[in-house]
Amino acid sequence: MRFGVMETKNYWVEKLALVLGMLVLAAGVDRTQFPPDFLFGTSTSYYQIEGGYLDDNKGLSNWDVFTHIPGKIKDGSNGDMADDHYHRYMDDIDLMQSLGVNSYRFSISWSRILPRGRFGEVNSEGISFYNKLLDALLLKGIQPFVTLCHYDIPQELEDRYGAWLSSQIQEDFAYYAEICFKEFGEKVKYWGTFNEPNVMIDKGYRFGTYPPSRCSEPYGYCSAGDSDIEPFIAAHNVILSHANAVDIYKNKYQEKQGGSIGIVMSTTWFVPYMDTPIHRMAAKRATAFELAWFLDPIILGAYPPEMVEILGSKLPAFSSNDKLKLRRTMDFIGVNHYTAMYAKDCKFALCNDLSHYESTGYTLRIGFRDGVPIGPTTDMPDFYVTPYGLENIVLQVMERYNNMPMIITENGYAQKSSINLSAKDFVNDEGRIHFLTSYLSSLSSAIRKGADVRGYFIWSIIDNFEWLYGYSLRFGLYHVDYNTMQRTPKLSAKWYSEFLKGCPNITTVVSNMSKPRRLLM
């Protein structure tokens, strides 16, 4: 048995069919189609892997508090221990080195650096941990890519003034960012200010499913909040916090440290529900209300016209001083991409859900049309296998933002988990290999068409805590046994390693991993 492979007749008949399918697909992509200095890595975030949630004077984050509220997480779990990366980071870096990646994207815990925000002391033990992590990565030849805020904030800031609903958060984020630039900047060449602020705000302040659980009917049933107003206030403060951090980095640190700074956005390729003018307009509105909501102000200096037309004065105004900071151009756009969705017009036709409200752009985002999914389904709800979406979203961003450099900061595939399953049930993840190979082929096509893409990161190196789904989904190249914390490589880990070595068309890895000692037919 190798990687849990059972040599049975039916198994190998099915596996041979899968292998042949992967080989046909893989014929279109290999390492040589990407520049020699292209970043290839894996991504994680602090809350999803670190654990050690109160170790070494760390303060409580909003997710530490939120996940301990009964009913918030699907399987009742939390990230108190997660993958115990806080104590096992050296082993995990060894896994990265064995893959052959040249970069690793992770986030810093704001509450580990500043347990009480600017209202308390800097935690020297938190500084020490991340310096050790950075040193270990660089020693292995792995370039760190650091995210400052991946959904998390110190709970202190929520309790004191309402976090992203208050302009005070801008001062706190600037203070935190500058500490990180000062303490770690000599070792970090890639900074991301925020990860998916569009998701963080939408789920936290419109639907109330993420902390701080603020919403209003009919979007959700929360104890407080206004789903039509608060998302735009919170987003405005995120945009200006990003601008402050970029301004500080550009003015005080970039020249001597030689790094770059950007923001990471969640992206969806929206396909018109029908090929008609009103549905094509709906697809444009969906993009505006998801992606351009943040990127237009940050790059172009104003909210997208599609939002201004619908929302008017509900969108906060930028002061002259704000506009000066927004002119300080960032260096790259981080693109997290998993799926395409249909966009259905609800402006000129009535929809039977929340999509006929102005704050959603009068657009229904849906994965099915006439009962047929937009692509093969995955175990992650509303994530479909639609590789063409990556090429299209990259080309769309290229066109709208003058081909600003892009890095694909997340792309991955979920497996459903269960306490009744063991590592051997997950390691033969041909579906993940199919997914990753097809999306890489799509990305290669976008690059050939002129898109300035400089890196690609798989989500994720190891299975981890998947937010509202807890440990019920697995995205890792390595399986994690949450009882023993043992990491076991999946077939996709071997595939990625061989791909990065330049294995032509991955034929070698697939045939080697799939070939039984004796195949009975």
Side-chain angles (χ1 to χ4, degrees):
M1 181 178 294
R2 188 180 183 189
F3 286 80
V5 175
M6 298 180 298
E7 298 180 307
T8 65
K9 179 179 178 180
N10 289 340
Y11 176 85
W12 286 106
V13 169
E14 294 172 2
K15 192 172 187 66
L16 184 59
L18 284 167
V19 168
L20 291 173
M22 284 191 288
L23 289 177
V24 171
L25 179 66
V29 65
D30 62 62
R31 175 65 182 86
T32 63
Q33 295 176 13
F34 299 88
D37 60 350
F38 199 78
L39 296 177
F40 273 109
T42 57
S43 282
T44 65
S45 82
Y46 122 73
Y47 189 78
Q48 294 176 272
I49 68 164
E50 270 189 21
Y53 87 115
L54 291 179
D55 287 9
D56 299 328
N57 296 315
K58 179 187 168 294
L60 289 174
S61 75
N62 55 338
W63 277 88
D64 290 323
V65 174
F66 176 79
T67 56
H68 282 257
I69 300 173
K72 294 296 186 182
I73 307 302
K74 180 178 179 178
D75 59 5
S77 65
N78 56 58
D80 291 1
M81 180 169 285
D83 293 313
D84 198 28
H85 177 76
Y86 189 72
H87 301 106
R88 301 170 186 263
Y89 68 92
M90 291 295 291
D91 293 335
D92 290 336
I93 292 173
D94 285 342
L95 298 182
M96 297 173 211
Q97 184 184 33
S98 71
L99 286 176
V101 298
N102 59 15
S103 191
Y104 171 53
R105 176 175 172 253
F106 66 95
S107 74
I108 289 175
S109 166
W110 189 345
S111 56
R112 200 179 291 284
I113 301 298
L114 291 165
R116 301 183 59 221
R118 60 189 161 91
F119 303 101
E121 299 297 321
V122 176
N123 179 19
S124 61
E125 291 175 285
I127 299 291
S128 175
F129 168 71
Y130 290 111
N131 267 320
K132 289 186 290 185
L133 175 60
L134 291 166
D135 288 341
L137 287 166
L138 292 171
L139 186 64
K140 299 289 189 179
I142 300 171
Q143 190 68 244
F145 183 124
V146 176
T147 305
L148 291 172
C149 178
H150 195 124
Y151 299 167
D152 62 293
I153 60 169
Q155 182 64 28
E156 176 89 12
L157 307 186
E158 180 65 46
D159 295 340
R160 274 183 178 264
Y161 55 72
W164 297 110
L165 291 177
S166 170
S167 60
Q168 292 184 59
I169 194 72
Q170 298 175 36
E171 185 177 350
D172 261 290
F173 187 74
Y175 179 66
Y176 162 59
E178 182 155 17
I179 288 172
C180 291
F181 299 150
K182 180 180 178 181
E183 296 289 345
F184 311 125
E186 296 294 338
K187 304 170 184 177
V188 177
K189 301 308 177 189
Y190 299 93
W191 291 101
T193 54
F194 291 91
N195 176 78
E196 298 185 341
N198 44 353
V199 173
M200 177 179 77
I201 299 304
D202 208 43
K203 293 181 184 270
Y205 294 91
R206 177 171 287 120
F207 297 105
T209 53
Y210 278 16
S213 301
R214 295 182 64 87
C215 66
S216 58
E217 296 183 35
Y219 297 90
Y221 302 94
C222 304
S223 60
D226 186 334
S227 297
D228 289 319
I229 299 295
E230 289 187 354
F232 306 110
I233 296 172
H236 199 73
N237 283 318
V238 168
I239 291 165
L240 293 177
S241 295
H242 162 86
N244 286 340
V246 170
D247 191 58
I248 290 168
Y249 188 68
K250 296 274 186 178
N251 277 328
K252 299 176 65 174
Y253 297 96
Q254 187 172 49
E255 184 176 355
K256 61 183 178 181
Q257 294 178 351
S260 58
I261 191 166
I263 193 169
V264 173
M265 300 298 300
S266 174
T267 67
T268 306
W269 174 246
F270 290 107
V271 178
Y273 188 73
M274 297 178 66
D275 190 19
T276 63
I278 62 170
H279 293 298
R280 289 195 293 269
M281 290 169 60
K284 290 182 178 180
R285 291 197 306 274
T287 298
F289 275 72
E290 179 187 70
L291 181 62
W293 179 14
F294 289 82
L295 288 187
D296 270 24
I298 288 170
I299 299 173
L300 305 179
Y303 285 113
E306 298 93 337
M307 294 186 75
V308 173
E309 179 184 354
I310 291 173
L311 297 172
S313 61
K314 285 186 178 181
L315 289 171
F318 292 108
S319 69
S320 56
N321 188 51
D322 294 338
K323 292 177 181 178
L324 286 174
K325 289 181 180 178
L326 288 169
R327 289 177 186 171
R328 181 68 79 171
T329 307
M330 64 182 181
D331 301 306
F332 65 85
I333 301 167
V335 174
N336 289 359
H337 184 79
Y338 294 86
T339 193
M341 295 281 282
Y342 290 116
K344 184 177 182 180
D345 174 71
C346 298
K347 188 175 184 180
F348 300 101
L350 183 63
C351 294
N352 295 322
D353 69 358
L354 304 176
S355 302
H356 66 276
Y357 290 91
E358 64 179 19
S359 65
T360 59
Y362 301 117
T363 303
L364 174 63
R365 305 166 190 186
I366 188 170
F368 284 75
R369 183 177 62 189
D370 299 328
V372 179
I374 194 170
T377 58
T378 73
D379 288 329
M380 179 72 171
D382 292 329
F383 278 19
Y384 305 88
V385 183
T386 53
Y388 62 86
L390 180 55
E391 177 180 356
N392 287 331
I393 197 69
V394 165
L395 294 177
Q396 183 180 63
V397 171
M398 176 184 76
E399 180 178 354
R400 189 166 186 135
Y401 302 112
N402 196 30
N403 207 9
M404 178 174 282
M406 282 173 271
I407 299 173
I408 309 306
T409 37
E410 286 185 27
N411 180 235
Y413 179 89
Q415 297 167 287
K416 186 180 293 185
S417 188
S418 168
I419 59 174
N420 299 319
L421 301 177
S422 63
K424 68 183 180 185
D425 298 301
F426 295 99
V427 293
N428 295 297
D429 57 343
E430 292 96 344
R432 178 171 288 110
I433 296 174
H434 181 281
F435 178 97
L436 296 172
T437 308
S438 61
Y439 276 70
L440 276 167
S441 181
S442 178
L443 179 61
S444 174
S445 178
I447 293 172
R448 290 195 300 273
K449 292 177 181 178
D452 187 1
V453 182
R454 303 187 181 185
Y456 172 88
F457 291 78
I458 291 175
W459 186 275
S460 174
I461 177 69
I462 51 179
D463 294 333
N464 53 59
F465 179 85
E466 186 49 43
W467 305 116
L468 300 183
Y469 298 95
Y471 300 103
S472 66
L473 293 174
R474 293 177 178 269
F475 275 89
L477 299 177
Y478 287 81
H479 174 274
V480 176
D481 183 323
Y482 294 112
N483 293 315
T484 65
M485 292 298 162
Q486 179 178 347
R487 279 76 158 138
T488 302
K490 301 178 187 177
L491 183 61
S492 56
K494 181 64 175 175
W495 164 81
Y496 198 32
S497 176
E498 294 298 320
F499 171 84
L500 294 176
K501 290 176 184 175
C503 180
N505 298 332
I506 70 165
T507 304
T508 303
V509 59
V510 176
S511 60
N512 284 347
M513 296 299 295
S514 306
K515 182 166 53 182
R517 288 184 292 274
R518 184 175 63 171
L519 178 58
L520 301 176
M521 299 296 287

